[in-house]
Amino acid sequence: MGRMNVSNEALLGLIAELVMDDAMRKYKENHLYQQIDSALAEGDEATFLALTAELKSIQSPS
C-alpha cells in the first residue's frame, strides 16, 4: 500500500509541474503580446522583430 501512495504522489507532482509550466508559458505569451503591441504602436521595428522571434520560440513544440 505504501508503494502505491508513493506512485500516486509522484504522478500528482508531475501533473502539478505540467500545470505550472503551462500557466507560466501562457503568462509569458500574454506579456510578450502586450510588449509586441507596444512596439507596434511606437513603430519600433527592431523590438517588434526581437519579441516576435521570442514568441515563436515559446510557441514552437519542444
Side-chain angles (χ1 to χ4, degrees):
M1 188 73 170
R3 185 179 214 176
M4 188 171 179
N5 286 339
V6 170
S7 295
N8 286 341
E9 287 177 17
L11 182 59
L12 288 174
L14 288 173
I15 291 170
E17 187 174 339
L18 287 171
V19 169
M20 182 63 117
D21 287 347
D22 188 54
M24 290 173 59
R25 182 189 52 78
K26 287 179 182 177
Y27 173 81
K28 181 69 173 174
E29 279 184 1
N30 287 335
H31 185 68
L32 283 170
Y33 278 122
Q34 290 172 355
Q35 290 180 306
I36 289 168
D37 286 345
S38 293
L40 280 171
E42 296 170 8
D44 186 348
E45 183 179 359
T47 300
F48 170 80
L49 292 173
L51 292 170
T52 54
E54 186 176 349
L55 180 62
K56 286 179 186 178
S57 73
I58 289 173
Q59 292 176 333
S60 67
S62 311

